[in-house]
Amino acid sequence: MSNQLVVHNSLTRQKEVFKPINEGAIGMYVCGPTVYSDVHLGNCRTFVSFDTIYRYLLHLGYSVRYVRNITDVGHLVGDADSDAEDKISKKARLEQLEPMEIVQKYMNGFHDMMKIFNTLPPNIEPRATGHIVEQIEMVQQILDNGLAYEKNGSVYFNTIKFAEQSDVYGQLSGKKLDDLMVETRDLKNQSEKNHPSDFAIWIKAAPEHIMRWNSPWSVGFPGWHLECSAMSTKYLGNNFDIHGGGGDLKFPHHENEIAQNHGACNCSPANYWLHTNMLLMNGKKMSKSDGNSITPQQLFTGDSEHISKGYSPMMLRFFMLQSHYRSTLDLTDDALLAAEKGYRRLMDANKALAAMTHPGKGSAGDLDKEIQTLIAGVSSEMSDDFNCPKALAKIFELVTKVNGLKAGHLSFDEVTAETFEQIKATFQLYIFDIFGLKDDAQAAGGDNSKMDGLMELVIDMRATARTNKDWGTSDKIRDTLQALKIKLKDGKDGTEWTVE
RNA sequence: GGUUGGGUGGCCGAGCGGCUAGGCAGUGGUCUGCAAAACCUCGUACGGCGGUUCAAAUCCGCUCCCAACCUCCA
């Protein structure tokens, strides 16, 4: 298998060889959250997925400019033409806070959660409210190009005219304007629009609307879709490499975004569109608005009717890694329980591997070849549209080899020292640097020197008891530690311990 | 109704024309004072019905289910 990067492009619905516009550099824009309430787990899955993609692109040697916005205005509750209300200002009224206070509060929470999930921060995290000028300019450009019209201080994108000029509109979502017309016929309050599929790019603010800016058309605020067009253009240019986001944004958000960019500069924003699939809970989309969701905190503490216990953030990241980013992932307690054991198996093997040394003598036998094939497989799977589950599978096969070497079932004679070092390097690179995992147990250990010394003493005492066949003492030590979530493993070379 | 994507063994989840996915659970062993861990071993699959092919979970047709989007959502 060749190792050139292949990605699935939502625009063409097929895998394509990835070629950056500028050799060695990548511009990537990912739609960030609307900060009007706490992030939920579904959001996290998308950003963890793109974090892994970002990390892999960096590993491949690209210099990546990763832009992920914060939506702090313009995102509407209800219909844009009627009783439309900005999500942020609605929440501000409910909580009796300034809109920017709301934004700050939930943006902080979002950043904390991204840190907890060990995601790397984007290079630029622009906010919609900080780019009103750019958005107004873009509205003007679209108007100048005749692809928008003003009605009572609001400006609408003319989808009909755009569709007549090119066949771009609907390409991403597979929708046709004719269908859209039929679908939206029943919607009320469409009076301002020329056509039901047209969408607002500037909205005149109602008197009670708090977040408002002056513009050539009215005191108002930008349409939701506009911010991403304006900010991606500002920081990545008219045409850039990757645009990502959750699959639920394909339509209308991304479709309209493409239309706006074409409307403004007659250019296609991104070459590759990547969409992550939804996180489900009990077979249904996890969603803030319909209540079918669980907060990350609840998952960590286990305080939810949906789960039997708490799960660590890194375990959850591992859980997400086990499925492909383009597949839905169903969150169930059984699946989490199974993943947790797998996660421990992986981490324990890595810990064991780190402590192992190659005896020095060893030739390239069949085992060596097998290991080399597995190592090569890890990267080729990742280069095949970031196939984390398959790359992980290869690593688990390596885990078996490592454990076999450790237990003596496999011989170092058949493995060269170089190959053995490559296993170590591969584990470090993929598990930690690219998959972005951390070993919870090690992190939880805290002040290790005291703990290590203490455990050494206890294990030594137990060993003495065992030598004396004092099983009562021996088992008491083991059971007591088990109750403290410290697990002992008796191996050939003595006893090891891990914190659960 | 339209659009997009799915239905894989007890569970999760890859694969998408011939080649063991992987994790968890289960079977029988090895090891061990016992247990755990680890290693070896063995089962249980590709919604249904047709078709193409030397060969289909993988391609085509029909059919039945499911999800997402079409209204804010990652």
Side-chain angles (χ1 to χ4, degrees):
Chain A
M1 192 186 284
S2 107
N3 214 10
Q4 66 181 347
L5 182 62
V6 169
V7 301
H8 179 92
N9 191 348
S10 300
L11 263 184
T12 56
R13 294 182 188 77
Q14 60 191 50
K15 286 185 188 174
E16 297 173 6
V17 174
F18 180 78
K19 279 210 179 68
I21 296 163
N22 300 304
E23 174 126 19
I26 293 174
M28 176 164 87
Y29 187 95
V30 174
C31 289
T34 303
V35 283
Y36 67 98
S37 68
D38 291 317
V39 261
H40 73 92
L41 212 65
N43 292 280
C44 296
R45 149 113 122 146
T46 293
F47 301 129
V48 163
S49 293
F50 280 108
D51 181 60
T52 306
I53 288 171
Y54 175 48
R55 285 164 176 268
Y56 190 65
L57 293 174
L58 290 175
H59 160 68
L60 291 180
Y62 289 108
S63 120
V64 184
R65 178 178 283 178
Y66 175 22
V67 181
R68 187 183 64 205
N69 70 298
I70 293 280
T71 296
D72 55 359
V73 69
H75 215 152
L76 300 166
V77 177
D79 190 342
D81 304 301
S82 55
D83 54 348
E85 187 169 17
D86 191 296
K87 275 192 173 179
I88 310 294
S89 40
K90 182 184 180 187
K91 186 79 178 181
R93 216 180 52 229
L94 288 173
E95 296 198 7
Q96 304 232 316
L97 297 167
E98 272 292 317
M100 277 302 126
E101 219 170 337
I102 293 294
V103 165
Q104 193 67 53
K105 176 180 171 186
Y106 292 115
M107 190 173 68
N108 289 160
F110 170 66
H111 286 151
D112 289 346
M113 196 52 66
M114 288 299 98
K115 199 165 269 180
I116 286 171
F117 277 108
N118 198 30
T119 64
L120 300 173
N123 300 287
I124 301 176
E125 192 170 49
R127 292 213 238 159
T129 52
H131 298 77
I132 300 295
V133 171
E134 288 83 351
Q135 295 182 73
I136 288 173
E137 275 172 13
M138 189 168 258
V139 171
Q140 191 57 253
Q141 286 174 332
I142 299 171
L143 277 167
D144 292 346
N145 289 333
L147 283 167
Y149 53 90
E150 187 201 336
K151 282 267 177 81
N152 305 319
S154 291
V155 182
Y156 296 93
F157 190 93
N158 192 334
T159 54
I160 297 293
K161 194 166 178 192
F162 180 55
E164 281 168 0
Q165 288 181 6
S166 76
D167 57 359
V168 170
Y169 200 70
Q171 195 187 91
L172 181 67
S173 59
K175 291 183 182 300
K176 296 180 194 73
L177 225 43
D178 294 346
D179 301 330
L180 288 169
M181 175 132 77
V182 174
E183 287 156 21
T184 52
R185 189 176 289 158
D186 295 335
L187 286 178
K188 295 172 191 110
N189 301 305
Q190 299 283 1
S191 53
E192 273 192 2
K193 294 184 191 176
N194 287 348
H195 185 92
S197 68
D198 291 351
F199 55 92
I201 51 181
W202 185 265
I203 302 156
K204 182 182 176 181
E208 67 276 15
H209 201 99
I210 309 168
M211 302 183 86
R212 46 170 59 207
W213 291 266
N214 218 199
S215 81
W217 315 284
S218 66
V219 175
F221 54 96
W224 169 39
H225 314 304
L226 195 62
E227 59 167 297
C228 291
S229 289
M231 297 190 291
S232 64
T233 300
K234 172 160 184 174
Y235 297 111
L236 298 172
N238 286 153
N239 178 234
F240 52 96
D241 300 295
I242 297 172
H243 191 126
D248 51 353
L249 295 183
K250 252 190 205 173
F251 191 90
H253 185 57
H254 291 333
E255 194 72 77
N256 288 170
E257 215 184 304
I258 293 171
Q260 287 164 345
N261 283 281
H262 276 271
C265 67
N266 196 28
C267 51
S268 182
N271 291 159
Y272 304 90
W273 285 79
L274 271 50
H275 287 98
T276 58
N277 215 135
M278 299 296 101
L279 181 66
L280 310 180
M281 189 158 70
N282 305 315
K284 294 272 186 202
K285 178 185 176 186
M286 200 180 274
S287 162
K288 281 193 256 205
S289 44
D290 64 13
N292 184 233
S293 77
I294 184 168
T295 67
Q297 267 83 14
Q298 285 177 308
L299 257 169
F300 303 155
T301 61
D303 179 25
S304 163
E305 53 175 338
H306 299 293
I307 50 175
S308 63
K309 65 185 283 294
Y311 299 94
S312 80
M314 285 304 106
M315 193 317 268
L316 283 161
R317 185 159 177 144
F318 173 84
F319 174 70
M320 292 172 183
L321 249 12
Q322 277 191 308
S323 75
H324 190 93
Y325 77 88
R326 279 191 293 112
S327 300
T328 53
L329 173 60
D330 199 1
L331 189 89
T332 61
D333 198 49
D334 284 346
L336 290 170
L337 246 18
E340 185 170 55
K341 292 195 178 172
Y343 168 72
R344 276 309 342 146
R345 177 173 155 83
L346 180 66
M347 287 303 162
D348 288 347
N350 178 256
K351 200 176 162 192
L353 176 66
M356 287 160 70
T357 48
H358 193 279
K361 277 175 278 183
S363 54
D366 288 347
L367 180 58
D368 197 278
K369 241 175 252 164
E370 216 180 316
I371 289 171
Q372 287 291 351
T373 305
L374 286 172
I375 288 173
V378 176
S379 57
S380 58
E381 293 302 348
M382 280 303 283
S383 287
D384 182 16
D385 196 26
F386 313 103
N387 197 331
C388 293
K390 237 184 154 187
L392 242 190
K394 301 280 182 197
I395 287 176
F396 267 106
E397 290 186 65
L398 285 168
V399 163
T400 303
K401 303 299 178 201
V402 169
N403 285 332
L405 285 168
K406 186 187 173 212
H409 293 108
L410 297 175
S411 170
F412 275 106
D413 294 346
E414 281 189 68
V415 185
T416 64
E418 290 73 30
T419 297
F420 188 67
E421 285 308 310
Q422 275 183 49
I423 302 178
K424 286 189 177 181
T426 300
F427 272 43
Q428 175 60 40
L429 175 64
Y430 281 90
I431 297 173
F432 302 103
D433 299 345
I434 293 174
F435 292 158
L437 295 171
K438 288 192 279 195
D439 190 344
D440 281 329
Q442 280 187 335
D447 50 347
N448 282 315
S449 60
K450 276 185 194 168
M451 188 70 172
D452 286 348
L454 197 61
M455 285 306 299
E456 204 177 313
L457 175 68
V458 173
I459 286 171
D460 188 50
M461 287 168 72
R462 179 162 168 271
T464 308
R466 292 178 74 201
T467 312
N468 298 332
K469 297 196 191 298
D470 179 5
W471 310 130
T473 304
S474 160
D475 290 353
K476 186 183 174 187
I477 291 172
R478 186 174 67 197
D479 296 344
T480 307
L481 288 174
Q482 177 74 49
L484 294 169
K485 305 223 178 217
I486 295 171
K487 196 184 237 174
L488 296 183
K489 292 179 190 173
D490 296 328
K492 278 213 153 57
D493 313 318
T495 301
E496 292 174 0
W497 62 280
T498 51
V499 181
E500 282 186 340

